[in-house]
Amino acid sequence: MNFIQYIKQVWKAGTSGGTPFSPDRLNHMEDGIKNNNNMISELNSNIGNEDIEGVFNYLGLEFVIYRKNGIRYLHSSGRLTQAFPTQWTTIGTIENIVYKGYGHIICNTSNIAIKFIYNNGVLNASATGTTKATEYAQDSCVLV
């Protein structure tokens, strides 16, 4: 699989900045977002057992950390059985893996973000606000 490189465009403030809004520039951003979304979806659909580094279950959600093409991902799915805590909580550990990363996953019903920090084999998470039991979360993020 070849990643599609996104070429950043430079914007300059003001009408004299030479970069007015245009369909071409907006479509460039839309295409970049869509292409990256397609790549993540394709990676998620092709996860094999050999790619999985750890699986954690917490408050009804299943969190899977996997590595594909040298990039680590966190995938979550499930329905919360109770409110996700807004303070950092340890979800689990993986032995003998030393890396750092962070990402976030959005709850589908409230748009509350669940933030993740992965540091030296320990996965911690917190919510940016109060979540409710029965909220559904199915999303993936890159641990960067």
Side-chain angles (χ1 to χ4, degrees):
M1 173 181 309
N2 294 321
F3 282 97
I4 300 167
Q5 182 177 1
Y6 181 82
I7 300 171
K8 182 180 184 275
Q9 297 183 356
V10 177
W11 293 81
K12 296 181 182 176
T15 56
S16 63
T19 54
F21 287 105
S22 71
D24 286 341
R25 291 182 73 86
L26 294 172
N27 282 326
H28 175 80
M29 286 188 286
E30 289 292 325
D31 290 343
I33 293 167
K34 179 65 176 148
N35 288 339
N36 286 333
N37 183 68
N38 289 348
M39 296 293 288
I40 290 172
S41 294
E42 185 176 333
L43 286 169
N44 284 341
S45 65
N46 295 319
I47 301 171
N49 287 338
E50 68 278 5
D51 303 316
I52 295 174
E53 293 184 334
V55 178
F56 310 107
N57 292 290
Y58 185 68
L59 300 182
L61 298 180
E62 179 181 73
F63 299 96
V64 178
I65 293 180
Y66 63 98
R67 183 178 179 141
K68 201 80 169 160
N69 298 326
I71 300 173
R72 282 192 173 86
Y73 296 86
L74 173 67
H75 177 75
S76 175
S77 63
R79 196 172 292 279
L80 287 169
T81 54
Q82 54 185 296
F84 203 96
T86 55
Q87 295 181 347
W88 290 109
T89 303
T90 299
I91 291 177
T93 61
I94 301 176
E95 299 297 323
N96 303 319
I97 293 181
V98 179
Y99 69 92
K100 297 179 182 178
Y102 64 90
H104 71 275
I105 289 174
I106 304 296
C107 292
N108 294 36
T109 48
S110 68
N111 290 325
I112 296 290
I114 300 174
K115 300 185 298 182
F116 299 94
I117 292 180
Y118 201 86
N119 189 5
N120 294 328
V122 179
L123 179 64
N124 294 295
S126 71
T128 57
T130 303
T131 61
K132 300 174 185 171
T134 74
E135 282 198 87
Y136 191 74
Q138 181 172 0
D139 202 356
S140 294
C141 63
V142 178
L143 288 172
V144 294

